Amino acid sequence: MPNIIIVGAQWGDEGKGKIVDFLTETSDVVARSQGGNNAGHTVVNNDTKYVLHLVPSGILWEDKQCVIGNGVVIDPIGLVQEIETLEGQGVKISPENLTISERAHITLPAHRSLDAAREAGLGQKKIGTTGRGIGPTYADKALRTGLRMAHLRDPDTFREKARVRTEEANEVLKGVGLEEVDFDATFPEFEKAAKRLVTHLGDTAVKLHTAIKGGKSVLFEGSQGTYLDIDHGTYPFVTSSNTTAGGACTGSGVSPRVIDCVVGVAKAYTTRVGGGPFITEDAEFSAKLHALGLEFGATTGRARRCGWLDLVLLRYATIVNGFDEIALTILDGLDDMESIQVCVAYEFDGNTITTPPSTMEEWARCKPVYETLPGWLSDTTGIRKFSDLPENARAYLDKVTEATDVPVTLVGVGPDREQTLRRD
Ligand code: GDP
Ligand code: IMO
Ligand code: MG
């Protein structure tokens, strides 16, 4: 049974949740290995919509095991709320099917305040974060001042460490004139949520290792996307973890040697939420998609910025992740387009470049070089067989393969579970 890494190939929200849900049927364990509740993964099944933030999308399949790995950052209040919402939708969650790494780092209320403070300080140049405290939690991890889930087993030590960290954060907040965190007022709610999670804790690296040794297959559910990766993304307009394929191994404790396949999930066009460069952004195209009710964020509800498919980004994402296959989602979003543009290169200071630059200053000097392809002007949402896709739609998929040298094996023609087509 293959162990598969699912990676976002663009700036997140590519439809990873839907693809993970689709592939969970043939997997045993689904693991998250980076990010936190900045993620919002939507799965639609029989007209019921589930939005997952920290809980792996595999939880929607009753007989599957789910793991939140060491590389994830966890806001206990957010996670407990999410579990309760899912339980309210009839999803069963217990220590039997959800194991949380005792090494995962904890997001405190102070981290959220620091996130807001940093954004406020940046003014017009703000990153446009999700406000979930992700950057400050990972910063504490790197500074070696963070708190791990295992600390929750010793409430007195945990409380003391959380108090010290909150006092330090308050110094920063005071310095920039922002409201300080009232530790005594906020801690009880936080502690109550944290206690609810203790029974889920375990050594998830050992759990995954044992599962794989026993012949079980693991699906790694990436969050965010390649261009939000702290190393390979459009820095500093990125998130604070490694969202690329390697992050699945470091964030789970699973060896790269047991990975069989990496699937890149890309939209048939491009979107991004928050600030930062976006070469193929197109206001008219954005307006069209928003009018169709598409492209509003699952976590913050923000309207996503939209633009044409950027093959420069997709090609580079293939390099840094090693995609074996590409899942192309929301092909139906292009159903009404008479003609479709794809960006095949960038013009940079009078030259043509085919890989992304590394600084904001260089990004600002890039312009898209487009090729125009004919649309298919037909409704694909009712199609259930890959070979029934219109000829021009298939030519569009071929263009992606031509640019990346990777086959498009899955195509999305709607949000529902049954609207994912596998190449036949
Ligand atoms: P993720 O963060 O990568 O899991 O993606 P999100 O769930 O944030 O955003 C993807 C959005 O597109 C969600 O609203 C999905 O329900 C929706 N979606 C996924 N695949 C398709 C598709 O093939 N067609 C359409 N129309 N919507 C899709
Ligand atoms: P999923 O898993 C889209 C973006 C934010 C911001 C930047 C940094 O649903 O694809 P952060 O809160 O992480 O410090 O914000 O990253 N961002 C996402 N954009 N999808 C996501 O997750 C995102 N998670 C973070 O909008 O630009
Ligand atoms: Mg999302």
Side-chain angles (χ1 to χ4, degrees):
M1 295 288 271
N3 298 311
I4 305 173
I5 299 177
I6 306 295
V7 184
Q10 295 156 326
W11 278 293
D13 301 330
E14 296 92 347
K16 298 175 293 293
K18 190 184 98 151
I19 297 298
V20 167
D21 175 66
F22 182 80
L23 294 175
T24 299
E25 189 171 11
T26 49
S27 306
D28 300 298
V29 186
V30 181
R32 274 281 305 271
S33 41
Q34 45 70 228
N37 60 348
N38 48 350
H41 299 172
T42 316
V43 178
V44 182
N45 184 16
N46 283 330
D47 291 332
T48 305
K49 180 173 157 179
Y50 304 89
V51 182
L52 300 118
H53 300 287
L54 270 162
V55 177
S57 300
I59 206 78
L60 304 177
W61 291 81
E62 245 182 52
D63 52 340
K64 307 295 176 176
Q65 292 287 311
C66 287
V67 163
I68 300 179
N70 55 277
V72 176
V73 291
I74 298 174
D75 175 347
I77 296 177
L79 179 52
V80 168
Q81 272 168 4
E82 181 181 345
I83 290 174
E84 285 171 356
T85 303
L86 289 167
E87 284 175 339
Q89 291 185 291
V91 180
K92 294 204 170 55
I93 304 179
S94 73
E96 297 302 306
N97 67 347
L98 178 66
T99 312
I100 302 170
S101 171
E102 53 198 39
R103 295 192 178 87
H105 277 247
I106 297 178
T107 298
L108 297 168
H111 290 124
R112 294 174 68 117
S113 300
L114 287 173
D115 193 358
R118 191 145 307 183
E119 286 284 89
L122 286 169
Q124 296 278 62
K125 291 187 177 151
K126 69 177 184 184
I127 308 288
T129 71
T130 58
R132 300 293 190 268
I134 304 297
T137 310
Y138 277 115
D140 274 4
K141 177 177 173 176
L143 280 169
R144 294 150 293 181
T145 55
L147 283 158
R148 285 172 152 189
M149 290 299 282
H151 286 121
L152 297 175
R153 293 202 195 108
D154 179 353
D156 292 339
T157 311
F158 177 71
R159 188 187 175 91
E160 217 23 62
K161 282 181 185 290
R163 181 190 292 281
V164 169
R165 194 60 202 104
T166 303
E167 280 164 5
E168 286 167 359
N170 279 342
E171 286 303 310
V172 176
L173 294 168
K174 199 159 54 182
V176 292
L178 282 172
E179 197 183 336
E180 294 171 47
V181 177
D182 183 340
F183 183 77
D184 292 323
T186 54
F187 195 73
E189 189 200 353
F190 183 82
E191 193 177 32
K192 189 169 155 229
K195 274 188 178 154
R196 160 87 163 77
L197 300 174
V198 169
T199 51
H200 290 267
L201 297 185
D203 189 324
T204 47
V206 171
K207 187 179 168 88
L208 291 168
H209 174 77
T210 309
I212 292 168
K213 266 212 130 176
K216 302 235 187 294
S217 60
V218 181
L219 193 57
F220 295 88
E221 175 174 357
S223 61
Q224 291 80 53
T226 299
Y227 294 96
L228 291 172
D229 184 286
I230 185 121
D231 285 284
H232 303 291
T234 46
Y235 190 90
F237 292 90
V238 293
T239 191
S240 303
S241 63
N242 282 116
T243 61
T244 42
C249 293
T250 54
S252 67
V254 169
S255 164
R257 296 180 62 187
V258 302
I259 303 301
D260 300 292
C261 179
V262 182
V263 178
V265 184
K267 271 179 189 161
Y269 46 91
T270 313
T271 64
R272 116 166 265 178
V273 224
F278 185 173
I279 296 299
T280 62
E281 185 169 17
D282 187 298
E284 201 183 318
F285 181 59
S286 290
K288 268 191 186 168
L289 291 169
H290 293 149
L292 291 171
L294 292 169
E295 305 309 346
F296 294 92
T299 295
T300 58
R302 290 180 289 181
R304 298 177 182 140
R305 300 158 62 191
C306 307
W308 302 109
L309 187 64
D310 187 334
L311 293 174
V312 175
L313 296 186
L314 224 48
R315 198 182 298 118
Y316 195 73
T318 300
I319 293 172
V320 297
N321 293 294
F323 295 147
D324 297 291
E325 301 178 23
I326 288 175
L328 205 74
T329 59
I330 328 195
L331 191 70
D332 54 300
L334 299 176
D335 282 355
D336 295 337
M337 307 289 160
E338 215 162 87
S339 61
I340 302 169
Q341 308 213 69
V342 290
C343 174
V344 292
Y346 299 157
E347 188 196 308
F348 176 75
D349 290 350
N351 299 312
T352 301
I353 59 168
T354 53
T355 54
S358 299
T359 67
M360 285 307 111
E361 292 71 22
E362 289 170 355
W363 272 108
R365 305 207 304 270
C366 291
K367 291 191 188 70
V369 178
Y370 284 121
E371 274 182 25
T372 304
L373 303 175
W376 43 92
L377 289 176
S378 63
D379 182 356
T380 58
T381 57
I383 293 177
R384 294 292 172 268
K385 267 181 76 184
F386 201 100
S387 51
D388 289 341
L389 286 169
E391 201 180 313
N392 285 354
R394 298 187 60 132
Y396 191 71
L397 306 182
D398 290 345
K399 189 78 196 168
V400 171
T401 298
E402 182 193 304
T404 56
D405 203 19
V406 178
V408 177
T409 54
L410 295 171
V411 167
V413 293
D416 208 90
R417 198 178 261 179
E418 59 177 27
Q419 288 172 304
T420 303
L421 319 179
R422 194 191 279 281
R423 185 179 281 273
D424 41 21

